[in-house]
Amino acid sequence: EAIRLGDLARQLGVKVQELIKSLMQLGIMATINQSLDIETATVLAEEFGYEVEKVGFSEDEFILPKEEDNPEALEPRWPVVTIMGHVDHGKTSLLDAIRESKITTKEAGGITQHIGAYYVGTDRGELVFLDTPGHEAFTAMRARGAQVTDIVILVVAADDGVMDQTREAINHSKAAGVPLIVAVNKMDKENADPERVKRELAEFDLVPEEWGGDTIYAYVSAKSHSGLDDLLEMVLLQAEVQELKANPAKRARGHIVEAKLDKGRGAVGTVLVQEGTLHHGDAFVCGLYHGKVRALFNDRGKNIKSAGPSMPVEVQGFDGVPEAGDEFVAVQDDKVARRIAEERQTKQREKDLAKETKVTLESFMAAKADEEVKSLNLVIKADVQGSLEACIEAVRKLSTDEVKVEIIHGGTGSISESDIMLASASSAVLIGFNVRPTARIKDIAEQEKVDIRFYDVIYQMVNEVKDAMAGMLAPVV
Ligand code: GDP
């Protein structure tokens, strides 16, 4: 915040020389083109008998809150899909297989570019795949407030079945409320056992339709490309049920799925447009940065003029490299964009200094005071399966009519970055039982403002959770 001396003089209706003289008396040597900080300007204005009123700046004036669109303005949009699953079960192979087999010759002209997401056209409909598979990226984005995925494809290798990261993927998509379709992969393998996969997944409420459940299963081989059509058809059917729609006729809003500093082109970011249409020349704000759309490229490297809902598009014209998950909002003009970005950077600096924690066992009540049934979300990591089950059992029993204990995820092994992201995205407290954090994990937890509690005795954990819940129930008025 600063004001030029000349502008201040004009506003006060005095000569600049007089201001310079007064400043000298205050011990400040100034020239006409100099800018003064607000404090100095205030003192100076008071010298001349004025009172300075601080007019707050609110970006809400310019970035309007998301509001319900008139139903008539809504048009169908393509589903956006993320592939998840255990390592080596074939996520990357499946993404590649779909990309190779489905990018039709209709779209000729242009070579596939890796921009973070790609478009697929089929006879049955169109969809978009995010290029970073796995629940880590998915939840990291969610922790930043970005939900771009409409449907999750859970890949499970038919010769291996449900593994640790399969379970994590299930819990991460459940926590996000995103519907899930199972792709049983590696069906070409001799020892493929899809029945076993179904049995194991049924334990997680992913009961196949043929067994009376409502989970869609597809059987594929990323290697031989078999079953891909079927899988895509299932995804499109699921999308139809969800009736995905957006209003293309307004200023664009979306999220960054990937960004980088390009030698020749400066900062570029791939925006997944979620509503409105982004045009060449639009001014925008994105995270702490701003800019003006200088060029738009699709995933075929084609220079395009505009991008509507569900379109991933590489944008050139950022004044800094944004982060995956940052919200991207087109605004009325450059000036507003710059102003908002400056304001955000100031706020960010203040926040970095304050470092408050998102949810702690103690702060829980205050945050949820106005809700009827409060829920205390927990992510629990324990050393072994036995103690994990004991922990879950013990805290689950603490649920009452007023406070529900919700186990967002339970797993064994050390606390990982994705556990922290899940806790952050779900406003959960992380509990470590018989596990110790590394320095890096502590840092990330601090950055993400997640409260981690460590215990090695169950009753201690139970008592503290109970106390926290009781505290919640008895607000001191
Ligand atoms: P990711 O870690 O989940 O991304 O798994 P990858 O896509 O990297 O695949 C792991 C390994 O499984 C690689 O050696 C792939 O060639 C192999 N693989 C993936 N899909 C199939 C499949 O459908 N059949 C067979 N036989 N092998 C596959």
Side-chain angles (χ1 to χ4, degrees):
E1 292 287 341
I3 182 165
R4 278 185 51 231
L5 204 56
D7 292 338
L8 182 63
R10 212 168 308 123
Q11 282 181 27
L12 295 175
V14 299
K15 289 213 174 75
V16 180
Q17 277 71 21
E18 286 185 62
L19 286 189
I20 293 179
K21 229 160 61 195
S22 300
L23 276 169
M24 270 166 72
Q25 277 158 14
L26 294 168
I28 299 166
M29 304 299 281
T31 63
I32 182 163
N33 286 321
Q34 190 161 339
S35 288
L36 297 178
D37 58 52
I38 292 301
E39 276 90 280
T40 313
T42 306
V43 172
L44 205 55
E46 278 163 4
E47 294 271 305
F48 288 88
Y50 287 89
E51 232 177 79
V52 175
E53 190 186 334
K54 253 202 178 165
V55 181
F57 172 84
S58 165
E59 65 177 56
D60 301 345
E61 285 172 50
F62 303 102
I63 293 184
L64 299 174
K66 268 196 171 173
E67 45 186 74
E68 286 285 307
D69 281 294
N70 185 340
E72 276 148 40
L74 295 177
E75 288 180 25
R77 62 171 182 83
W78 313 324
V80 179
V81 183
T82 295
I83 296 185
M84 293 188 193
H86 192 68
V87 63
D88 279 349
H89 279 197
K91 298 182 290 294
T92 314
S93 306
L94 190 59
L95 265 172
D96 289 345
I98 294 168
R99 190 191 329 245
E100 282 161 25
S101 64
K102 288 298 153 191
I103 289 179
T104 51
T105 40
K106 261 192 299 190
E107 300 289 328
I111 304 155
T112 315
Q113 306 288 321
H114 283 261
I115 65 167
Y118 65 86
Y119 160 90
V120 174
T122 77
D123 300 337
R124 284 273 289 103
E126 304 170 275
L127 15 76
V128 169
F129 280 83
L130 292 185
D131 241 347
T132 319
H135 56 273
E136 289 90 354
F138 173 84
T139 298
M141 296 225 345
R142 236 165 43 79
R144 307 180 59 82
Q147 174 109 309
V148 296
T149 302
D150 300 305
I151 296 167
V152 165
I153 294 180
L154 178 70
V155 177
V156 187
D159 61 340
D160 204 22
V162 171
M163 304 298 281
D164 273 355
Q165 288 157 36
T166 315
R167 285 187 276 271
E168 287 182 21
I170 295 169
N171 289 337
H172 282 239
S173 28
K174 265 190 194 162
V178 177
L180 184 155
I181 288 175
V182 178
V184 183
N185 189 33
K186 307 201 185 182
M187 287 299 284
D188 60 283
K189 283 204 156 181
E190 223 166 272
N191 54 344
D193 187 356
E195 293 302 309
R196 170 182 157 207
V197 174
K198 280 188 277 190
R199 263 193 324 271
E200 290 176 348
L201 284 175
E203 285 176 34
F204 295 89
D205 285 335
L206 298 173
V207 182
E209 285 177 320
E210 70 235 54
W211 294 357
D214 54 10
T215 302
I216 303 171
Y217 279 67
Y219 304 89
V220 301
S221 165
K223 190 177 177 189
S224 70
H225 289 200
S226 76
L228 298 186
D229 282 335
D230 238 20
L231 172 63
L232 295 183
E233 177 150 0
M234 306 284 188
V235 174
L236 287 164
L237 276 173
Q238 170 62 37
E240 260 169 43
V241 175
Q242 285 171 254
E243 292 189 37
L244 305 167
K245 286 179 178 170
N247 176 2
K250 57 183 185 181
R251 269 192 215 130
R253 220 180 236 276
H255 283 94
I256 296 288
V257 293
E258 194 175 290
K260 63 180 179 208
L261 193 61
D262 185 286
K263 267 192 202 136
R265 303 182 296 156
V268 293
T270 298
V271 179
L272 185 83
V273 178
Q274 290 175 291
E275 53 174 38
T277 299
L278 185 63
H279 302 275
H280 189 268
D282 281 353
F284 63 83
V285 184
C286 182
L288 298 176
Y289 302 107
H290 72 281
K292 189 179 179 125
V293 178
R294 276 193 275 125
L296 293 169
F297 295 94
N298 68 9
D299 58 347
R300 234 51 55 72
K302 192 167 164 234
N303 196 327
I304 53 176
K305 287 270 157 284
S306 63
S310 288
M311 265 182 89
V313 67
E314 196 179 55
V315 175
Q316 228 173 295
F318 290 81
D319 78 331
V321 184
E323 280 183 61
D326 277 346
E327 193 184 20
F328 180 102
V329 188
V331 295
Q332 63 200 61
D333 58 41
D334 290 346
K335 248 180 152 165
V336 165
R338 174 184 310 269
R339 184 77 202 263
I340 294 171
E342 278 170 3
E343 204 67 22
R344 286 184 179 180
Q345 289 178 8
T346 311
K347 281 210 185 106
Q348 182 62 41
R349 277 191 291 273
E350 287 166 6
K351 243 202 230 90
D352 286 345
L353 290 174
K355 268 195 186 162
E356 90 269 3
T357 308
K358 271 192 184 160
V359 187
T360 63
L361 279 182
E362 290 86 5
S363 74
F364 185 69
M365 179 61 193
K368 300 258 169 164
D370 50 348
E371 284 172 31
E372 280 232 326
V373 181
K374 305 167 188 80
S375 95
L376 173 60
N377 295 339
L378 299 177
V379 171
I380 304 182
K381 279 312 269 285
D383 51 346
V384 292
Q385 192 63 28
S387 50
L388 175 67
E389 276 160 22
C391 286
I392 291 179
E393 171 90 11
V395 291
R396 206 171 252 156
K397 270 200 278 203
L398 300 176
S399 281
T400 63
D401 288 345
E402 285 91 6
V403 184
K404 223 174 143 229
V405 177
E406 197 87 60
I407 316 275
I408 301 287
H409 175 62
T412 53
S414 53
I415 292 170
S416 68
E417 183 166 350
S418 98
D419 293 328
I420 296 176
M421 290 306 176
L422 180 60
S424 170
S426 318
S427 296
V429 174
L430 220 165
I431 287 183
F433 190 82
N434 272 338
V435 293
R436 289 283 164 262
T438 60
R440 201 178 83 86
I441 287 300
K442 272 190 196 156
D443 283 350
I444 300 170
E446 199 165 288
Q447 247 171 45
E448 289 299 318
K449 307 185 195 324
V450 168
D451 182 22
I452 311 189
R453 300 282 170 135
F454 295 97
Y455 306 97
D456 34 33
V457 188
I458 292 218
Y459 81 79
Q460 234 169 28
M461 174 186 73
V462 166
N463 281 349
E464 273 199 39
V465 172
K466 237 199 253 140
D467 284 353
M469 290 169 65
M472 288 171 215
L473 291 174
V476 192
V477 187

